[in-house]
Amino acid sequence: MSNGTNMPNQVVVIGSGFGGLGLAIRLQARGYQVTILEKRGQVGGRAYQLKKNGYTFDMGPSLITAPFLLEELFSLSGQKLADVVDMIPLDPYYRIFYHDGSHIDYTGNPDTMKKEMARFNSADAGRYDDFFNAVTPIYDAVIREGLGATPFDTLKQMVRFIPRALALGGFRSVTSFVNRYFMDERHRFAFSFHPLFIGGSPFRSPSIYAMIPALEREAGVWFARGGMYSVVQALAQTFTSLGGTIRTHSPVEEIVV
């Protein structure tokens, strides 16, 4: 890791959200000298914390659906996730309220979920397994095979991916994919709203995101005691313990190449 002057390669990461912190930890652990520049007064990016009038708010995400990714990050500094963040499994995962005043307790337990769904539409409950049989191959491709971490930044890579995407139904929208299995609008919403997590629309986001219910059922949905900012703080501490540098109040105005 040398640039020819016996000095370690210098890396600057702009932004200290989960993506920035994760990248910085990986690079620092591999021997690079990394500096994070964050324009706010505290780390976290969109996952920042607000304290006001005696109350504390997470301003971004509030749940963890892929704890194994955090496990991997903390392992780079010889830590275990359970030792640095108090993780609480949620059951049900969340309660979804509808405009008509009804609600559904969304859980990863198939039998419990089918009973919840049968209150609204028994035929939909009968198609629950069919839906998960359809989304499991997408989950396997994205998570188990690493498709979700593959950059499609060349025409050749995109051309090679097209047959796989067609086979997975990847060019459908999430809404279109889900609507093939459920008739009740409440069930359609419950299994298609997940693109909202990243600011996407279920009506336009590709059906790759339909695999999130499978991810939730496989890995669970978790809450970090103290809120998501406790995870941000643990990641920042891990980064600095590896020798990284964080500079807050440091907006970037220009990237010179």
Side-chain angles (χ1 to χ4, degrees), residues 157-208:
Q157 287 173 312
M158 281 300 299
V159 170
R160 290 175 58 186
F161 171 65
I162 287 174
R164 185 72 185 279
L166 289 171
L168 294 172
F171 293 108
R172 288 177 173 268
S173 69
V174 173
T175 297
S176 173
F177 189 97
V178 171
N179 287 359
R180 291 189 301 165
Y181 296 93
F182 306 121
M183 296 298 297
D184 192 287
E185 289 299 327
R186 289 165 289 197
H187 298 147
R188 288 179 168 183
F189 176 84
F191 291 100
S192 66
F193 77 89
H194 299 86
L196 297 174
F197 288 161
I198 60 163
S201 166
F203 300 100
R204 293 191 297 271
S205 299
S207 61
I208 293 295

Short mmCIF file of all heavy atoms in Angstrom, two decimals, residues 157-208:
data_model
loop_
_atom_site.label_atom_id
_atom_site.label_comp_id
_atom_site.label_asym_id
_atom_site.label_seq_id
_atom_site.Cartn_x
_atom_site.Cartn_y
_atom_site.Cartn_z
N GLN A 157 -21.14 -5.96 -19.10
CA GLN A 157 -21.75 -6.47 -17.87
C GLN A 157 -23.26 -6.39 -17.94
O GLN A 157 -23.96 -7.31 -17.49
CB GLN A 157 -21.22 -5.70 -16.67
CG GLN A 157 -19.78 -6.03 -16.29
CD GLN A 157 -19.26 -5.12 -15.21
OE1 GLN A 157 -19.41 -3.91 -15.28
NE2 GLN A 157 -18.65 -5.70 -14.19
N MET A 158 -23.78 -5.31 -18.49
CA MET A 158 -25.22 -5.17 -18.59
C MET A 158 -25.82 -6.20 -19.53
O MET A 158 -26.85 -6.81 -19.23
CB MET A 158 -25.57 -3.76 -19.08
CG MET A 158 -25.51 -2.68 -18.02
SD MET A 158 -26.66 -2.98 -16.67
CE MET A 158 -28.21 -2.96 -17.54
N VAL A 159 -25.17 -6.44 -20.66
CA VAL A 159 -25.66 -7.42 -21.63
C VAL A 159 -25.68 -8.82 -21.02
O VAL A 159 -26.63 -9.59 -21.23
CB VAL A 159 -24.80 -7.38 -22.91
CG1 VAL A 159 -25.14 -8.56 -23.82
CG2 VAL A 159 -25.02 -6.06 -23.66
N ARG A 160 -24.65 -9.13 -20.24
CA ARG A 160 -24.59 -10.45 -19.60
C ARG A 160 -25.68 -10.59 -18.54
O ARG A 160 -26.15 -11.70 -18.27
CB ARG A 160 -23.21 -10.66 -18.96
CG ARG A 160 -22.09 -10.83 -19.98
CD ARG A 160 -20.75 -10.92 -19.29
NE ARG A 160 -20.70 -12.02 -18.35
CZ ARG A 160 -19.67 -12.25 -17.53
NH1 ARG A 160 -18.62 -11.43 -17.55
NH2 ARG A 160 -19.68 -13.27 -16.71
N PHE A 161 -26.08 -9.47 -17.94
CA PHE A 161 -27.06 -9.52 -16.87
C PHE A 161 -28.50 -9.60 -17.39
O PHE A 161 -29.38 -10.13 -16.69
CB PHE A 161 -26.90 -8.28 -15.99
CG PHE A 161 -28.00 -8.10 -14.96
CD1 PHE A 161 -28.15 -9.02 -13.94
CD2 PHE A 161 -28.87 -7.02 -15.03
CE1 PHE A 161 -29.15 -8.85 -12.99
CE2 PHE A 161 -29.87 -6.85 -14.10
CZ PHE A 161 -30.01 -7.77 -13.07
N ILE A 162 -28.76 -9.12 -18.58
CA ILE A 162 -30.13 -9.03 -19.10
C ILE A 162 -30.88 -10.37 -19.07
O ILE A 162 -32.03 -10.42 -18.59
CB ILE A 162 -30.14 -8.41 -20.51
CG1 ILE A 162 -29.83 -6.91 -20.41
CG2 ILE A 162 -31.48 -8.62 -21.20
CD1 ILE A 162 -29.67 -6.22 -21.76
N PRO A 163 -30.30 -11.49 -19.55
CA PRO A 163 -31.04 -12.75 -19.49
C PRO A 163 -31.42 -13.15 -18.06
O PRO A 163 -32.51 -13.66 -17.82
CB PRO A 163 -30.06 -13.76 -20.11
CG PRO A 163 -29.16 -12.94 -20.96
CD PRO A 163 -29.00 -11.65 -20.23
N ARG A 164 -30.50 -12.90 -17.13
CA ARG A 164 -30.79 -13.23 -15.73
C ARG A 164 -31.91 -12.34 -15.19
O ARG A 164 -32.81 -12.81 -14.48
CB ARG A 164 -29.52 -13.03 -14.89
CG ARG A 164 -29.66 -13.47 -13.43
CD ARG A 164 -29.72 -14.98 -13.34
NE ARG A 164 -29.97 -15.44 -11.99
CZ ARG A 164 -29.01 -15.55 -11.05
NH1 ARG A 164 -27.75 -15.21 -11.34
NH2 ARG A 164 -29.30 -16.00 -9.86
N ALA A 165 -31.86 -11.07 -15.53
CA ALA A 165 -32.89 -10.14 -15.07
C ALA A 165 -34.26 -10.53 -15.63
O ALA A 165 -35.27 -10.46 -14.92
CB ALA A 165 -32.53 -8.71 -15.49
N LEU A 166 -34.29 -10.94 -16.89
CA LEU A 166 -35.55 -11.38 -17.50
C LEU A 166 -36.09 -12.61 -16.79
O LEU A 166 -37.30 -12.72 -16.53
CB LEU A 166 -35.35 -11.65 -18.99
CG LEU A 166 -35.14 -10.43 -19.88
CD1 LEU A 166 -34.74 -10.87 -21.29
CD2 LEU A 166 -36.40 -9.57 -19.92
N ALA A 167 -35.21 -13.55 -16.48
CA ALA A 167 -35.62 -14.78 -15.81
C ALA A 167 -36.18 -14.50 -14.42
O ALA A 167 -37.10 -15.18 -13.95
CB ALA A 167 -34.45 -15.75 -15.72
N LEU A 168 -35.63 -13.48 -13.76
CA LEU A 168 -36.07 -13.13 -12.41
C LEU A 168 -37.28 -12.18 -12.43
O LEU A 168 -37.82 -11.87 -11.38
CB LEU A 168 -34.93 -12.46 -11.64
CG LEU A 168 -33.71 -13.33 -11.31
CD1 LEU A 168 -32.61 -12.47 -10.72
CD2 LEU A 168 -34.10 -14.45 -10.35
N GLY A 169 -37.68 -11.75 -13.60
CA GLY A 169 -38.75 -10.77 -13.69
C GLY A 169 -38.31 -9.40 -13.23
O GLY A 169 -39.12 -8.58 -12.77
N GLY A 170 -37.02 -9.13 -13.36
CA GLY A 170 -36.42 -7.92 -12.81
C GLY A 170 -36.85 -6.63 -13.47
O GLY A 170 -36.59 -5.56 -12.93
N PHE A 171 -37.49 -6.69 -14.64
CA PHE A 171 -37.89 -5.47 -15.31
C PHE A 171 -39.33 -5.07 -15.00
O PHE A 171 -39.82 -4.04 -15.49
CB PHE A 171 -37.67 -5.60 -16.81
CG PHE A 171 -36.21 -5.69 -17.18
CD1 PHE A 171 -35.66 -6.87 -17.63
CD2 PHE A 171 -35.39 -4.58 -17.05
CE1 PHE A 171 -34.31 -6.96 -17.96
CE2 PHE A 171 -34.04 -4.65 -17.38
CZ PHE A 171 -33.49 -5.84 -17.83
N ARG A 172 -40.01 -5.87 -14.22
CA ARG A 172 -41.32 -5.47 -13.71
C ARG A 172 -41.13 -4.47 -12.58
O ARG A 172 -40.08 -4.44 -11.94
CB ARG A 172 -42.07 -6.69 -13.15
CG ARG A 172 -42.59 -7.68 -14.18
CD ARG A 172 -43.23 -8.84 -13.46
NE ARG A 172 -43.90 -9.76 -14.36
CZ ARG A 172 -45.18 -9.68 -14.69
NH1 ARG A 172 -45.92 -8.72 -14.18
NH2 ARG A 172 -45.72 -10.54 -15.52
N SER A 173 -42.15 -3.70 -12.30
CA SER A 173 -42.10 -2.87 -11.10
C SER A 173 -42.45 -3.74 -9.89
O SER A 173 -43.02 -4.82 -10.04
CB SER A 173 -43.10 -1.71 -11.19
OG SER A 173 -44.43 -2.21 -11.13
N VAL A 174 -42.08 -3.26 -8.72
CA VAL A 174 -42.42 -4.00 -7.50
C VAL A 174 -43.93 -4.18 -7.40
O VAL A 174 -44.43 -5.27 -7.09
CB VAL A 174 -41.89 -3.26 -6.25
CG1 VAL A 174 -42.39 -3.93 -4.97
CG2 VAL A 174 -40.37 -3.23 -6.25
N THR A 175 -44.67 -3.11 -7.67
CA THR A 175 -46.13 -3.18 -7.58
C THR A 175 -46.69 -4.22 -8.55
O THR A 175 -47.56 -5.02 -8.18
CB THR A 175 -46.74 -1.80 -7.90
OG1 THR A 175 -46.32 -0.86 -6.91
CG2 THR A 175 -48.26 -1.87 -7.90
N SER A 176 -46.19 -4.22 -9.77
CA SER A 176 -46.66 -5.19 -10.76
C SER A 176 -46.36 -6.62 -10.32
O SER A 176 -47.18 -7.52 -10.47
CB SER A 176 -46.00 -4.90 -12.11
OG SER A 176 -46.31 -5.91 -13.05
N PHE A 177 -45.19 -6.82 -9.77
CA PHE A 177 -44.78 -8.16 -9.30
C PHE A 177 -45.70 -8.63 -8.18
O PHE A 177 -46.22 -9.76 -8.20
CB PHE A 177 -43.33 -8.09 -8.82
CG PHE A 177 -42.72 -9.43 -8.53
CD1 PHE A 177 -41.95 -10.08 -9.47
CD2 PHE A 177 -42.91 -10.05 -7.29
CE1 PHE A 177 -41.38 -11.32 -9.20
CE2 PHE A 177 -42.36 -11.27 -7.01
CZ PHE A 177 -41.59 -11.92 -7.97
N VAL A 178 -45.91 -7.78 -7.18
CA VAL A 178 -46.69 -8.16 -6.00
C VAL A 178 -48.16 -8.36 -6.36
O VAL A 178 -48.82 -9.28 -5.85
CB VAL A 178 -46.53 -7.10 -4.90
CG1 VAL A 178 -47.52 -7.35 -3.74
CG2 VAL A 178 -45.10 -7.08 -4.38
N ASN A 179 -48.69 -7.52 -7.24
CA ASN A 179 -50.11 -7.57 -7.57
C ASN A 179 -50.51 -8.87 -8.25
O ASN A 179 -51.69 -9.22 -8.29
CB ASN A 179 -50.49 -6.39 -8.47
CG ASN A 179 -50.53 -5.08 -7.71
OD1 ASN A 179 -50.28 -5.05 -6.51
ND2 ASN A 179 -50.82 -4.00 -8.41
N ARG A 180 -49.54 -9.60 -8.79
CA ARG A 180 -49.86 -10.90 -9.41
C ARG A 180 -50.29 -11.92 -8.36
O ARG A 180 -50.94 -12.92 -8.70
CB ARG A 180 -48.64 -11.43 -10.16
CG ARG A 180 -48.28 -10.64 -11.40
CD ARG A 180 -47.20 -11.35 -12.20
NE ARG A 180 -45.98 -11.55 -11.42
CZ ARG A 180 -45.00 -12.39 -11.76
NH1 ARG A 180 -45.11 -13.11 -12.85
NH2 ARG A 180 -43.92 -12.48 -11.01
N TYR A 181 -49.95 -11.68 -7.10
CA TYR A 181 -50.21 -12.69 -6.06
C TYR A 181 -51.31 -12.30 -5.08
O TYR A 181 -51.96 -13.17 -4.50
CB TYR A 181 -48.91 -12.95 -5.27
CG TYR A 181 -47.84 -13.56 -6.14
CD1 TYR A 181 -46.90 -12.76 -6.78
CD2 TYR A 181 -47.80 -14.94 -6.38
CE1 TYR A 181 -45.94 -13.31 -7.61
CE2 TYR A 181 -46.84 -15.48 -7.21
CZ TYR A 181 -45.92 -14.68 -7.83
OH TYR A 181 -44.98 -15.22 -8.66
N PHE A 182 -51.54 -11.00 -4.90
CA PHE A 182 -52.50 -10.57 -3.89
C PHE A 182 -53.54 -9.64 -4.49
O PHE A 182 -53.23 -8.81 -5.35
CB PHE A 182 -51.77 -9.86 -2.74
CG PHE A 182 -50.66 -10.68 -2.13
CD1 PHE A 182 -49.36 -10.21 -2.12
CD2 PHE A 182 -50.92 -11.94 -1.61
CE1 PHE A 182 -48.33 -10.96 -1.58
CE2 PHE A 182 -49.90 -12.71 -1.07
CZ PHE A 182 -48.60 -12.22 -1.05
N MET A 183 -54.78 -9.77 -4.00
CA MET A 183 -55.88 -8.97 -4.50
C MET A 183 -56.23 -7.82 -3.57
O MET A 183 -56.56 -6.73 -4.03
CB MET A 183 -57.13 -9.86 -4.70
CG MET A 183 -56.95 -10.94 -5.76
SD MET A 183 -56.63 -10.24 -7.41
CE MET A 183 -58.17 -9.36 -7.68
N ASP A 184 -56.17 -8.05 -2.27
CA ASP A 184 -56.52 -7.01 -1.31
C ASP A 184 -55.45 -5.92 -1.31
O ASP A 184 -54.27 -6.20 -1.24
CB ASP A 184 -56.66 -7.61 0.09
CG ASP A 184 -57.32 -6.64 1.07
OD1 ASP A 184 -56.66 -5.66 1.47
OD2 ASP A 184 -58.48 -6.88 1.45
N GLU A 185 -55.89 -4.68 -1.39
CA GLU A 185 -54.94 -3.57 -1.47
C GLU A 185 -54.05 -3.48 -0.24
O GLU A 185 -52.90 -3.02 -0.32
CB GLU A 185 -55.70 -2.24 -1.65
CG GLU A 185 -56.34 -2.07 -3.02
CD GLU A 185 -55.31 -2.08 -4.14
OE1 GLU A 185 -54.19 -1.60 -3.93
OE2 GLU A 185 -55.64 -2.57 -5.24
N ARG A 186 -54.54 -3.94 0.89
CA ARG A 186 -53.73 -3.89 2.10
C ARG A 186 -52.56 -4.86 2.01
O ARG A 186 -51.45 -4.54 2.44
CB ARG A 186 -54.61 -4.19 3.32
CG ARG A 186 -55.56 -3.06 3.66
CD ARG A 186 -56.66 -3.46 4.60
NE ARG A 186 -57.63 -4.34 3.94
CZ ARG A 186 -58.85 -4.59 4.40
NH1 ARG A 186 -59.26 -4.00 5.51
NH2 ARG A 186 -59.66 -5.39 3.76
N HIS A 187 -52.80 -6.02 1.42
CA HIS A 187 -51.71 -6.98 1.24
C HIS A 187 -50.75 -6.52 0.16
O HIS A 187 -49.53 -6.70 0.27
CB HIS A 187 -52.27 -8.36 0.90
CG HIS A 187 -53.13 -8.92 1.99
ND1 HIS A 187 -54.22 -9.73 1.73
CD2 HIS A 187 -53.07 -8.77 3.33
CE1 HIS A 187 -54.80 -10.07 2.88
NE2 HIS A 187 -54.12 -9.49 3.85
N ARG A 188 -51.29 -5.93 -0.87
CA ARG A 188 -50.44 -5.40 -1.94
C ARG A 188 -49.49 -4.34 -1.39
O ARG A 188 -48.31 -4.31 -1.74
CB ARG A 188 -51.30 -4.83 -3.07
CG ARG A 188 -52.02 -5.90 -3.88
CD ARG A 188 -52.89 -5.30 -4.97
NE ARG A 188 -53.34 -6.32 -5.92
CZ ARG A 188 -54.07 -6.08 -7.00
NH1 ARG A 188 -54.44 -4.82 -7.28
NH2 ARG A 188 -54.40 -7.05 -7.81
N PHE A 189 -50.01 -3.51 -0.52
CA PHE A 189 -49.16 -2.48 0.08
C PHE A 189 -48.12 -3.11 1.01
O PHE A 189 -46.94 -2.73 0.99
CB PHE A 189 -50.01 -1.48 0.85
CG PHE A 189 -49.19 -0.44 1.57
CD1 PHE A 189 -48.75 0.69 0.91
CD2 PHE A 189 -48.86 -0.60 2.90
CE1 PHE A 189 -47.97 1.65 1.56
CE2 PHE A 189 -48.09 0.34 3.57
CZ PHE A 189 -47.64 1.47 2.90
N ALA A 190 -48.55 -4.07 1.83
CA ALA A 190 -47.66 -4.65 2.84
C ALA A 190 -46.42 -5.29 2.23
O ALA A 190 -45.35 -5.29 2.85
CB ALA A 190 -48.43 -5.69 3.67
N PHE A 191 -46.56 -5.81 1.02
CA PHE A 191 -45.42 -6.51 0.41
C PHE A 191 -44.75 -5.70 -0.70
O PHE A 191 -43.86 -6.22 -1.38
CB PHE A 191 -45.88 -7.85 -0.14
CG PHE A 191 -46.26 -8.84 0.93
CD1 PHE A 191 -47.58 -9.05 1.27
CD2 PHE A 191 -45.28 -9.52 1.64
CE1 PHE A 191 -47.94 -9.94 2.27
CE2 PHE A 191 -45.62 -10.41 2.65
CZ PHE A 191 -46.95 -10.61 2.98
N SER A 192 -45.14 -4.43 -0.85
CA SER A 192 -44.54 -3.65 -1.94
C SER A 192 -44.01 -2.29 -1.50
O SER A 192 -43.40 -1.58 -2.30
CB SER A 192 -45.56 -3.43 -3.07
OG SER A 192 -46.63 -2.60 -2.63
N PHE A 193 -44.21 -1.91 -0.23
CA PHE A 193 -43.82 -0.55 0.18
C PHE A 193 -42.32 -0.39 0.42
O PHE A 193 -41.83 0.72 0.58
CB PHE A 193 -44.59 -0.14 1.44
CG PHE A 193 -44.05 -0.76 2.70
CD1 PHE A 193 -43.06 -0.14 3.44
CD2 PHE A 193 -44.56 -1.97 3.16
CE1 PHE A 193 -42.56 -0.70 4.61
CE2 PHE A 193 -44.07 -2.55 4.32
CZ PHE A 193 -43.07 -1.91 5.05
N HIS A 194 -41.57 -1.47 0.41
CA HIS A 194 -40.17 -1.44 0.84
C HIS A 194 -39.26 -0.49 0.05
O HIS A 194 -38.29 0.03 0.63
CB HIS A 194 -39.60 -2.86 0.84
CG HIS A 194 -40.32 -3.78 1.78
ND1 HIS A 194 -41.46 -4.46 1.41
CD2 HIS A 194 -40.07 -4.12 3.07
CE1 HIS A 194 -41.89 -5.19 2.44
NE2 HIS A 194 -41.08 -5.00 3.45
N PRO A 195 -39.50 -0.25 -1.25
CA PRO A 195 -38.64 0.75 -1.93
C PRO A 195 -38.70 2.13 -1.28
O PRO A 195 -37.78 2.94 -1.47
CB PRO A 195 -39.21 0.79 -3.35
CG PRO A 195 -39.78 -0.58 -3.55
CD PRO A 195 -40.38 -0.94 -2.21
N LEU A 196 -39.75 2.40 -0.50
CA LEU A 196 -39.83 3.68 0.19
C LEU A 196 -38.66 3.85 1.17
O LEU A 196 -38.30 4.97 1.51
CB LEU A 196 -41.17 3.79 0.94
CG LEU A 196 -42.43 3.79 0.09
CD1 LEU A 196 -43.67 3.75 0.97
CD2 LEU A 196 -42.47 5.01 -0.82
N PHE A 197 -38.08 2.73 1.62
CA PHE A 197 -36.95 2.80 2.53
C PHE A 197 -35.79 3.59 1.92
O PHE A 197 -35.00 4.21 2.63
CB PHE A 197 -36.45 1.40 2.88
CG PHE A 197 -37.35 0.62 3.81
CD1 PHE A 197 -37.24 -0.76 3.91
CD2 PHE A 197 -38.30 1.26 4.57
CE1 PHE A 197 -38.05 -1.48 4.77
CE2 PHE A 197 -39.13 0.56 5.43
CZ PHE A 197 -39.02 -0.82 5.53
N ILE A 198 -35.65 3.52 0.61
CA ILE A 198 -34.54 4.20 -0.06
C ILE A 198 -35.03 5.38 -0.89
O ILE A 198 -34.31 5.88 -1.75
CB ILE A 198 -33.75 3.23 -0.95
CG1 ILE A 198 -34.66 2.63 -2.03
CG2 ILE A 198 -33.08 2.14 -0.12
CD1 ILE A 198 -33.92 2.00 -3.17
N GLY A 199 -36.25 5.80 -0.64
CA GLY A 199 -36.79 6.95 -1.36
C GLY A 199 -37.32 6.62 -2.74
O GLY A 199 -37.52 7.52 -3.56
N GLY A 200 -37.55 5.34 -3.01
CA GLY A 200 -38.06 4.93 -4.31
C GLY A 200 -39.56 4.75 -4.31
O GLY A 200 -40.20 4.72 -3.25
N SER A 201 -40.13 4.63 -5.48
CA SER A 201 -41.56 4.39 -5.62
C SER A 201 -41.81 2.94 -5.99
O SER A 201 -41.19 2.43 -6.93
CB SER A 201 -42.15 5.29 -6.71
OG SER A 201 -43.44 4.85 -7.08
N PRO A 202 -42.70 2.24 -5.30
CA PRO A 202 -43.02 0.85 -5.67
C PRO A 202 -43.57 0.73 -7.09
O PRO A 202 -43.46 -0.33 -7.70
CB PRO A 202 -44.09 0.46 -4.64
CG PRO A 202 -43.90 1.40 -3.50
CD PRO A 202 -43.43 2.69 -4.11
N PHE A 203 -44.13 1.83 -7.60
CA PHE A 203 -44.70 1.81 -8.94
C PHE A 203 -43.63 1.91 -10.03
O PHE A 203 -43.89 1.57 -11.18
CB PHE A 203 -45.72 2.94 -9.11
CG PHE A 203 -46.86 2.87 -8.14
CD1 PHE A 203 -46.87 3.66 -7.00
CD2 PHE A 203 -47.92 2.01 -8.36
CE1 PHE A 203 -47.92 3.60 -6.10
CE2 PHE A 203 -48.97 1.94 -7.47
CZ PHE A 203 -48.98 2.73 -6.33
N ARG A 204 -42.43 2.36 -9.65
CA ARG A 204 -41.36 2.53 -10.64
C ARG A 204 -40.11 1.71 -10.32
O ARG A 204 -39.34 1.41 -11.23
CB ARG A 204 -40.98 4.02 -10.74
CG ARG A 204 -42.07 4.89 -11.32
CD ARG A 204 -41.58 6.28 -11.65
NE ARG A 204 -41.14 6.99 -10.46
CZ ARG A 204 -41.94 7.74 -9.70
NH1 ARG A 204 -43.22 7.84 -10.02
NH2 ARG A 204 -41.47 8.36 -8.65
N SER A 205 -39.89 1.37 -9.07
CA SER A 205 -38.69 0.61 -8.70
C SER A 205 -38.77 -0.81 -9.26
O SER A 205 -39.84 -1.43 -9.25
CB SER A 205 -38.55 0.55 -7.18
OG SER A 205 -38.40 1.85 -6.64
N PRO A 206 -37.65 -1.35 -9.73
CA PRO A 206 -37.65 -2.70 -10.29
C PRO A 206 -37.95 -3.75 -9.23
O PRO A 206 -37.69 -3.54 -8.04
CB PRO A 206 -36.23 -2.86 -10.84
CG PRO A 206 -35.41 -1.90 -10.05
CD PRO A 206 -36.31 -0.73 -9.77
N SER A 207 -38.47 -4.87 -9.67
CA SER A 207 -38.93 -5.91 -8.74
C SER A 207 -37.80 -6.58 -7.98
O SER A 207 -38.05 -7.43 -7.12
CB SER A 207 -39.73 -6.97 -9.50
OG SER A 207 -38.93 -7.58 -10.49
N ILE A 208 -36.54 -6.21 -8.26
CA ILE A 208 -35.43 -6.68 -7.43
C ILE A 208 -35.73 -6.37 -5.96
O ILE A 208 -35.41 -7.15 -5.06
CB ILE A 208 -34.11 -5.98 -7.85
CG1 ILE A 208 -33.68 -6.44 -9.25
CG2 ILE A 208 -33.01 -6.24 -6.84
CD1 ILE A 208 -33.33 -7.91 -9.35
#
